[in-house]
Amino acid sequence: MNKIELIPAIDLIGGKCVRLTKGDYTQKTVYNEDPVAQAKEFERLGFKRLHVVDLDGAKSKHIVNDHVLRAITETTNLVVDFGGGIKTEEDIEKAFRAGAAMVTVGSIAVTEPELFLKWLDIYGADRLILGADVRNGKISINGWKEDSQEDLLPFLKKYIEHGVRNVLCTEISKDGTLAGPATALYRRIMDEYPQLHLIASGGVSATEDILHLEEEGIPAVVFGKAYYEGRIQADRLIRPRHRSLAKRIIPCLDVKDGETVKGTNFVNLRSAGDPVELGKAYSDAGADELVFLDITASFEGRKTFTEMVERVAREINIPFTVGGGINELADVERLLHAGADKVSINSAALRRPELINEITSHFGSQVCVVAIDARQDEDGWHCYVKGGRERTERGLFEWAKEVAERGAGEILFTSMDHDGCKEGFANEALARLSEELPIPVIASGGAGKKEDFRDAFIKGKADAALAASVFHFGEIAISDLKQYLRKENINVRI
């Protein structure tokens, strides 16, 4: 299960932090007269992203509070998406100049679809969020003052076909009511369009609502009033929350020259089959996610085989992480466009750690998985790069801590000593990582039998377990493994 992206909201009227009820400007409550101070508080609590809405702008049909946006982005490291009053290209440019990482466009996508498609072409799908505000099944526009004739699902389908990836859906009847989110609506959208990064908005009343949305597989959630009225327990959501969620089983496809391969201790590779066929089989078999690694891309200085990523993505309906040879934001954008949900970086992150910050700032923490290949040498655990061929002087634990601090969404830890040996995971190191880090840890290297997965979750305290050969060569069936883990009282999705 994916970790849901948590996005607190700041709605602006007259430069103050407010909340409305059902979009009614006459039902306004001021929660903080200093939105910059509020943004700093969100950052202090550990939130990574912020949703800012210019309600004055929505009413006036042009940006009004860009000066507040600038003050927030200049004084925090939050990834800020901005909406409200975006009617012209000048408005978009103004928002980006003020520091917005993404801009939400709603009404224009309804009233001037050609203009929205032009903006999509200019700025790219990773910088624009399609705002879908819904009332009685119809898309609402102009600050929720008017209902269009656009039905929600056809409206989304039209733009998804043109490359839209990010959708902010607000059920207006729920907004500001603390009556609970429109979970069934969001689930229907995800069932229809599983490739979307859907941001659920409206009605969140408590921490449990967010946890339920996460259990339902909703990628992201915006909340405001529930937080301001003390109903959201940030400490439950940000640090320990992923420890109690369902554990994930993740097959890994190591690909070399177009074939899935597997070896021992990163060498002695043998063929394991076609990656497209294997990916589809694992998706159908109930795997929670899939990881695709071009294992020689960094060593050979190549880009990951994008065409194969596209083929795999077309065949699966589970989250898909791609790694190998990713060195810059253009590589990330290319792979996301090809169908990946997340990217995994390793050598490039150790070489230039700022890449982690850049990825999370542009695409969100949930996109960035940092893979760490490490070996326990005589002088302790050390990180290796270039497919395990070259040792670095970075220690496993201090590097993992820096990775988390830079905003990565997950860590994929592979013990090179255990890789391919089928004698169990490096549970002692896993447990230390899991205890010390605020983000999920994926165990990799050493799976040989069902008990190894159990131990990774119980002894190693891992959030997910990744394996290759035991799945590729039919030694363990994913369905059998999950039934076994259930009997061992480990929470997995069946």
Side-chain angles (χ1 to χ4, degrees):
M1 180 194 312
N2 276 340
K3 172 178 159 182
I4 194 168
E5 189 174 20
L6 304 166
I7 312 175
I10 290 179
D11 293 356
L12 299 169
I13 290 181
K16 298 176 181 179
C17 179
V18 308
R19 291 299 287 174
L20 307 180
T21 299
K22 298 183 182 180
D24 185 349
Y25 282 73
T26 67
Q27 298 187 58
K28 176 185 72 175
T29 303
V30 176
Y31 285 103
N32 196 325
E33 298 201 357
D34 186 348
V36 177
Q38 184 61 66
K40 289 180 178 179
E41 174 64 8
F42 284 136
E43 183 176 42
R44 185 193 68 77
L45 289 170
F47 293 105
K48 303 293 185 183
R49 185 167 167 183
L50 180 65
H51 177 62
V52 176
V53 181
D54 185 353
L55 291 175
D56 290 321
K59 198 171 186 179
S60 304
K61 299 186 180 181
H62 62 84
I63 289 181
V64 174
N65 285 293
D66 54 305
H67 62 290
V68 180
L69 171 64
R70 183 182 302 278
I72 290 172
T73 60
E74 287 181 348
T75 56
T76 74
N77 291 313
L78 293 167
V79 176
V80 181
D81 61 73
F82 181 83
I86 305 292
K87 303 296 182 184
T88 65
E89 200 168 312
E90 181 182 354
D91 289 323
I92 295 178
E93 293 291 343
K94 186 181 289 188
F96 285 146
R97 284 197 302 272
M102 306 176 80
V103 167
T104 301
V105 179
S107 299
I108 289 296
V110 177
T111 59
E112 299 182 60
E114 293 302 319
L115 179 58
F116 179 73
L117 291 175
K118 175 188 173 185
W119 292 349
L120 197 63
D121 185 57
I122 293 172
Y123 299 105
D126 292 308
R127 299 201 75 190
L128 292 185
I129 300 172
L130 175 62
D133 301 327
V134 185
R135 181 163 43 205
N136 300 321
K138 302 290 186 180
I139 301 295
S140 185
I141 59 176
N142 294 329
W144 301 352
K145 294 192 293 293
E146 305 172 43
D147 291 337
S148 73
Q149 295 305 305
E150 293 270 8
D151 291 315
L152 174 62
L153 291 180
F155 174 75
L156 295 180
K157 182 175 187 292
K158 174 172 61 178
Y159 287 118
I160 290 168
E161 290 174 348
H162 284 89
V164 163
R165 292 177 55 88
N166 301 285
V167 171
L168 172 67
C169 183
T170 303
E171 170 52 74
I172 297 171
S173 67
K174 297 277 190 177
D175 189 71
T177 65
L178 301 176
T183 306
L185 172 66
Y186 305 136
R187 183 65 265 168
R188 191 163 81 247
I189 294 171
M190 291 305 299
D191 287 343
E192 193 76 23
Y193 308 116
Q195 71 271 42
L196 277 186
H197 185 67
L198 176 67
I199 307 168
S201 173
V204 170
S205 66
T207 304
E208 285 68 24
D209 286 340
I210 295 174
L211 296 175
H212 181 58
L213 287 170
E214 182 163 42
E215 289 289 344
E216 288 294 317
I218 308 306
V221 60
V222 166
F223 51 89
K225 188 173 184 179
Y227 169 83
Y228 296 120
E229 298 199 354
R231 294 166 172 255
I232 298 291
Q233 297 165 286
D235 58 341
R236 279 185 64 197
L237 292 170
I238 295 171
R239 287 192 174 268
R241 68 195 184 86
H242 58 86
R243 305 296 179 214
S244 62
L245 299 175
K247 305 297 185 181
R248 291 168 287 152
I249 302 299
I250 307 176
C252 179
L253 281 70
D254 294 337
V255 177
K256 182 178 186 292
D257 301 327
E259 280 192 314
T260 307
V261 296
K262 188 55 193 163
T264 303
N265 305 127
F266 282 40
V267 294
N268 299 323
L269 303 177
R270 59 174 171 148
S271 176
D274 177 75
V276 180
E277 292 178 3
L278 281 172
K280 184 178 188 304
Y282 290 139
S283 179
D284 294 342
D288 296 295
E289 297 187 19
L290 186 67
V291 170
F292 170 92
L293 300 176
D294 189 335
I295 61 172
T296 56
S298 296
F299 177 61
E300 298 173 3
R302 298 184 285 104
K303 301 295 186 186
T304 303
F305 193 14
T306 308
E307 187 270 341
M308 184 175 291
V309 173
E310 293 174 343
R311 290 169 56 213
V312 172
R314 283 196 296 268
E315 297 293 335
I316 66 174
N317 60 6
I318 55 177
F320 181 30
T321 300
V322 179
I326 297 170
N327 297 298
E328 57 189 7
L329 288 180
D331 296 327
V332 179
E333 188 164 9
R334 171 171 51 85
L335 292 170
L336 294 177
H337 182 71
D341 298 288
K342 312 176 194 178
V343 296
S344 172
I345 56 175
N346 186 345
S347 300
L350 278 159
R351 184 168 57 249
R352 193 170 68 82
E354 296 80 10
L355 179 61
I356 301 170
N357 304 75
E358 293 169 5
I359 293 172
T360 58
S361 294
H362 279 79
F363 305 108
S365 294
Q366 80 287 346
V367 165
C368 186
V369 179
V370 174
I372 302 177
D373 299 333
R375 173 177 282 140
Q376 191 169 22
D377 298 327
E378 290 184 1
D379 55 346
W381 282 93
H382 278 271
C383 301
Y384 281 71
V385 295
K386 296 185 178 178
R389 294 171 177 83
E390 184 178 303
R391 170 176 153 145
T392 75
E393 290 310 306
R394 297 303 299 264
L396 166 63
F397 302 104
E398 53 96 5
W399 170 234
K401 182 179 180 183
E402 180 177 337
V403 164
E405 289 173 346
R406 287 183 177 273
E410 293 183 287
I411 283 176
L412 169 56
F413 163 55
T414 301
S415 168
M416 296 174 61
D417 299 308
H418 294 72
D419 181 70
C421 295
K422 300 184 180 181
E423 295 179 356
F425 295 89
N427 291 319
E428 187 176 337
L430 273 171
R432 180 174 169 186
L433 288 170
S434 297
E435 289 168 353
E436 293 182 359
L437 301 177
I439 59 176
V441 177
I442 304 170
S444 171
K449 54 188 181 300
K450 296 173 187 175
E451 291 79 4
D452 295 334
F453 290 88
R454 176 199 64 196
D455 291 346
F457 295 134
I458 295 176
K459 296 179 181 178
K461 303 179 182 179
D463 300 280
L466 176 146
S469 60
V470 293
F471 296 143
H472 300 339
F473 301 117
E475 297 166 35
I476 299 177
I478 291 174
S479 59
D480 292 345
L481 173 60
K482 287 193 168 186
Q483 292 291 348
Y484 165 79
L485 292 171
R486 271 283 178 91
K487 291 177 182 177
E488 294 291 317
N489 296 315
I490 294 170
N491 182 20
V492 291
R493 268 193 162 181
I494 301 294

